[in-house]
Amino acid sequence: TDGIPTRSELKARFPRMRKECVRASLVPEGDKAGLVGQIVGAALASVTFTRKGMVEGKSAEDVLARAEFLLEMGDLISALEEIRSLKGLAALTAKDWVGDAEARLASEMALKALSSHVALMNLAIVKESGDGCST
């Protein structure tokens, strides 16, 4: 896609990213991370069940379950904080989604700042024209 993805687009892309992150988290680290490690990770990912909600734990599956729940609740900032806590290959796998989510949040903050600035400018113009009319 071109430009900054919408919140809806980020939400729609999340399940695939989550699946890929879980698979990546199950690949053995170090010298065992080659083709055999990828196959082992894929096999393990296919037999794990998907956790839901604000679950306890620090595994990639736990982190991603919380992130998905927060994203469903509309809390992109907290979802992003959860995803940033991923480690290793799971963090690397989530990198593009994280970058897009950060861009979405930055654009929303910039829009709010711009809207506030325009509102203040309008207020100043109204006050200025109001002062001129009361003489």
Side-chain angles (χ1 to χ4, degrees):
T1 62
D2 292 331
I4 298 170
T6 65
R7 284 177 177 253
S8 295
E9 289 169 337
L10 288 168
K11 198 171 171 182
R13 286 176 35 207
F14 189 88
R16 181 174 181 198
M17 184 271 294
R18 178 181 179 170
K19 182 178 178 182
E20 291 172 1
C21 284
V22 169
R23 183 181 315 178
S25 74
L26 297 171
V27 172
E29 292 188 28
D31 295 336
K32 299 175 185 169
L35 180 60
V36 173
Q38 294 286 333
I39 292 169
V40 168
L44 288 172
S46 69
V47 296
T48 58
F49 67 96
T50 302
R51 300 193 69 188
K52 299 279 186 187
M54 292 300 289
V55 299
E56 296 284 326
K58 294 182 181 181
S59 73
E61 181 63 30
D62 298 332
V63 167
L64 292 161
R66 290 190 298 269
E68 184 172 41
F69 176 80
L70 291 163
L71 192 59
E72 292 292 327
M73 297 291 104
D75 189 352
L76 182 57
I77 293 172
S78 296
L80 190 54
E81 286 174 8
E82 284 288 346
I83 295 169
R84 284 186 186 133
S85 74
L86 290 170
K87 305 286 184 229
L89 289 174
L92 186 61
T93 303
K95 189 175 92 170
D96 288 343
W97 192 94
V98 167
D100 287 344
E102 288 171 341
R104 164 58 33 208
L105 289 172
S107 69
E108 288 176 2
M109 285 189 276
L111 183 60
K112 284 181 184 178
L114 184 60
S115 295
S116 295
H117 181 71
V118 169
L120 288 173
M121 287 178 61
N122 284 337
L123 182 60
I125 290 169
V126 168
K127 282 186 172 185
E128 190 176 289
S129 66
D131 289 344
C133 293
S134 61
T135 56

